[in-house]
Amino acid sequence: MRILFVSTNTNPQETPINGDAQRTRLLYEACKRMADVDVISFENQPNKAKSLGRLKKWLALLPFSDITALFPIDPVREAAVDAVMEKGDYDFIVARYFYRAIPCGLWKYREKLVVDFDDALPFYFLNQITSTSEWTSKIRLKWAAKKAKGITRRATRKMKATFFAEESVAASNHGTFLPNIPYYPGNCPDADLSAAIKRIVFVGQLEYQPNMEGLNRFLEQVYRPLLQRLPKVELHLVGQINDDSLRQRWQNYPGVTVTGFVDDLKKEYEQSHLVVVPVYRCGATNIKLLEAMSMNRACVTTQEAYEKMNGRFENKKDLYAAANDDEFVEMLTKLLTDEKENLRIARNGKTVMDQYYSFDTFCSIVKNAIV
């Protein structure tokens, strides 16, 4: 069996630097377990699809418009894929994200096409809405998100297989649930709360809009009040960041260190006493929660992120999920001062994570859906 793996923004054969690239690499490795795999990567190559004008952006939302009106074809990428397909006899084509696959001209091969949607397609449009977006853009993007639900339902019926990282979304779209799993295997010693300074850590792509918004809120509404209760607390923000002004603004908060990208994430977890994931809008299971639990660390997250955990974890048993900012402060205080509770949450979370989110399980799901 032969598979053509098409990747638009990362090379799956290289070491991944963020959660997006990690899931791509995991999917690629799962394909390699069952077939010979060739790769087309458009890493660092800009999408040369013709930009839509304002009118065409609205026309793309009309009922009679096709998929490529919403996701315009990049002729360079399409030609590259077509040339490879003409030479090779591939059983399947595997790609990540529907909105990235269509510009590569992959829709014409839909009977062989396997797409990992990951997040539900509407999230792609909703994620573009920011506090500074014009009201017309907000309306258009919300309309696009609504249309994306219908596009997803129709498209999944015409492709070989589709994956979603949220169980309910997979079921409603006749797709396959493929959970996020930690990329880095490992287990850290128990957190030692006898340390004079208690360290909280956040790991993630720091300039990713939902992460950035969540951290801004967390620093002002949760971290500041926490310091009034527990002055000997520090926060380390770990992940890719290029914006020096953003780095400096966050480091102006007392005890905050923006570490940036690191090669050894396990070391960051080992030196932490607690992991936070203050994300208030997300499309699927947050991989950083799973990664932290695999590293034997207690986690505090938001109710919004918790609701995407596919029902596998129980609040206040396997992790803590805060319904509001005040509860977030209370939960952090509890886990930073009660060592017994900290260890209980960490160990319970790791047990559930190891049971449901292994790489072998991931590979089995991919194989069963495709073959």
Side-chain angles (χ1 to χ4, degrees), residues 108-123:
K108 66 169 74 73
Y109 304 109
R110 51 189 171 272
E111 292 182 356
K112 295 184 175 184
L113 185 59
V114 177
V115 173
D116 177 19
F117 278 71
D118 197 344
D119 298 332
L121 186 56
F123 187 69

Side-chain angles (χ1 to χ4, degrees), residues 10 24 26 76 78 90 96 112 114 128 133 143 165 204 228 233 250 256 262 273 289-290 341 349 359:
T10 182
T24 299
L26 289 167
V76 175
E78 181 183 38
Y90 294 100
R96 286 260 290 136
K112 295 184 175 184
V114 177
Q128 297 177 49
S133 299
W143 187 2
Q228 295 177 2
V233 169
W250 285 342
V256 173
V262 297
H273 300 94
L289 277 171
L290 298 176
E341 178 68 359
F359 181 59

Side-chain angles (χ1 to χ4, degrees), residues 240-252:
Q240 187 177 17
I241 182 170
N242 298 310
D243 188 334
D244 290 336
S245 62
L246 182 62
R247 179 194 294 268
Q248 186 58 51
R249 176 157 61 84
W250 285 342
Q251 290 194 151
N252 283 337

Side-chain angles (χ1 to χ4, degrees), residues 203-272:
V203 178
Q205 192 171 355
L206 299 180
E207 292 179 59
Y208 179 52
Q209 190 69 28
N211 290 347
M212 183 169 57
E213 291 174 358
L215 285 171
N216 285 335
R217 174 174 169 177
F218 175 80
L219 285 164
E220 194 62 29
Q221 304 299 327
V222 178
Y223 184 66
R224 278 192 186 277
L226 178 68
L227 287 179
Q228 295 177 2
R229 296 187 181 191
L230 303 173
K232 293 185 178 181
V233 169
E234 62 183 23
L235 172 66
H236 282 223
L237 306 180
V238 181
Q240 187 177 17
I241 182 170
N242 298 310
D243 188 334
D244 290 336
S245 62
L246 182 62
R247 179 194 294 268
Q248 186 58 51
R249 176 157 61 84
W250 285 342
Q251 290 194 151
N252 283 337
Y253 286 87
V256 173
T257 300
V258 181
T259 307
F261 177 77
V262 297
D263 291 321
D264 187 2
L265 274 177
K266 185 177 180 181
K267 181 179 178 181
E268 298 298 324
Y269 285 114
E270 284 180 343
Q271 295 176 346
S272 71

